Amino acid sequence: QVQLVESGGGLVQPGGSLRLSCAAFGISTSNYNMGWYRQAPGKQRELVATITTNSSTNYADFVKGRFTISRDNAKNTVYLQMSSLSPEDTAVYYCNARRYLTLWGQGTQVTVSS
């Protein structure tokens, strides 16, 4: 079955860190451009970061210097390392794969609160 499965979300205090994982099944992440998006309550889904098949990365301005996207093709997994989190980062984070197909994961909730 072709799917993306996110994990690693949770509750974290402001200034804290989390690492999200996106495990791919049925596709090879090495052949896909991968990305992380997020959607906060009442807002549209927005791009957070992307990594291409040749590992070029791109970040939204609001996460530059705080988040890092990476991939481990041997594990067929993409990661989003998040640091210096603020309440404004609270959202459901979604993994995306794009090239031959466009796939979305089910999302993982990140809540930043004291």
Side-chain angles (χ1 to χ4, degrees):
Q1 184 177 0
V2 178
Q3 61 177 344
L4 303 174
V5 179
E6 301 100 332
S7 61
L11 174 64
V12 63
Q13 291 188 340
S17 299
L18 277 177
R19 188 179 79 158
L20 305 182
S21 299
C22 170
F25 300 90
I27 64 166
S28 175
T29 56
S30 62
N31 293 331
Y32 279 75
N33 300 309
M34 304 296 296
W36 286 96
Y37 291 71
R38 71 185 187 185
Q39 187 166 19
K43 295 187 177 181
Q44 290 188 332
R45 191 172 298 189
E46 60 185 358
L47 173 70
V48 176
T50 60
I51 184 166
T52 66
T53 54
N54 63 1
S55 295
S56 294
T57 58
N58 182 56
Y59 297 92
D61 286 343
F62 54 79
V63 303
K64 282 183 179 177
R66 300 190 299 126
F67 292 9
T68 302
I69 188 171
S70 62
R71 67 198 308 155
D72 185 336
N73 291 333
K75 295 183 178 180
N76 225 27
T77 299
V78 176
Y79 303 97
L80 185 68
Q81 178 67 49
M82 307 185 294
S83 61
S84 300
L85 287 163
S86 71
E88 289 70 34
D89 295 314
T90 295
V92 178
Y93 285 71
Y94 296 91
C95 181
N96 170 264
R98 187 169 301 181
R99 193 176 185 189
Y100 307 108
L101 300 171
T102 297
L103 300 172
W104 291 94
Q106 82 288 352
T108 185
Q109 176 70 48
V110 172
T111 302
V112 185
S113 175
S114 56

